[in-house]
Amino acid sequence: MSARKALALGAISGLRFASGPAFVARAAKAGDMDLGGTTLAFLGSPLLSKALTMLQLGEMVGDKLPAVPSRTRLMPLLGRAASGGMVGAAAFFSDDRRAATGVLLGSSAAVAAAFAGEGVRALVGRGMGLPDPVIALAEDTVVLLVGYRASKHAR
């Protein structure tokens, strides 16, 4: 179960870097993900949970703007890999498992999803002629559904 959570939360971090941490923070705050006594216990803070949720929403809005750099450029990609690694570690910590595997799975999923998401957006945009913001909204929906499911089944 930890591996699936790490992969799912890592993947959504690759699509929207703040989404994985926001879902983990909400799950930790609600008691759905036990991070107490770990280096990631701070994610259970109600204030941090709210801040990450606001960051998540801001990122979803900002992603529709044409001036946003590609998620596969070095710096955005490194941020997504770090975000994915952190949520992967949280998934493993919450199941009383060693975090190193979670970090590897989460960060790998984030990088793969960043490239896949960018490629799918371009392909669908060209193939179906849909405007990018419409495709981005569909991507947001996937992020929200996967994040909700992965964080609610955290126990």
Side-chain angles (χ1 to χ4, degrees), residues 90-149:
F92 272 66
F93 273 149
S94 72
D95 285 345
D96 293 323
R97 297 183 63 197
R98 293 177 51 115
T101 303
V103 169
L104 181 62
L105 289 174
S107 61
S108 297
V111 169
F115 280 98
E118 190 170 272
V120 167
R121 262 173 89 160
L123 186 64
V124 170
R126 282 192 311 267
M128 298 180 76
L130 294 173
D132 189 65
V134 172
I135 301 164
L137 283 172
E139 193 175 55
D140 290 341
T141 302
V142 169
V143 166
L144 293 172
L145 292 173
V146 170
Y148 178 79
R149 181 170 169 89

Side-chain angles (χ1 to χ4, degrees), residues 26-54:
R26 285 193 298 271
K29 183 184 76 155
D32 289 331
M33 192 175 264
D34 182 13
L35 299 177
T38 73
T39 56
L40 297 179
F42 69 93
L43 288 172
S45 159
L47 184 59
L48 182 58
S49 177
K50 286 179 185 174
L52 286 170
T53 298
M54 296 306 294

Side-chain angles (χ1 to χ4, degrees), residues 1 4-10 12 23-24 27 32-33 91 94 143-155:
M1 188 63 127
R4 278 190 278 161
K5 287 187 289 187
L7 289 169
L9 292 166
I12 65 170
F23 275 107
V24 167
D32 289 331
M33 192 175 264
S94 72
V143 166
L144 293 172
L145 292 173
V146 170
Y148 178 79
R149 181 170 169 89
S151 63
K152 284 300 174 192
H153 293 93
R155 286 189 182 184

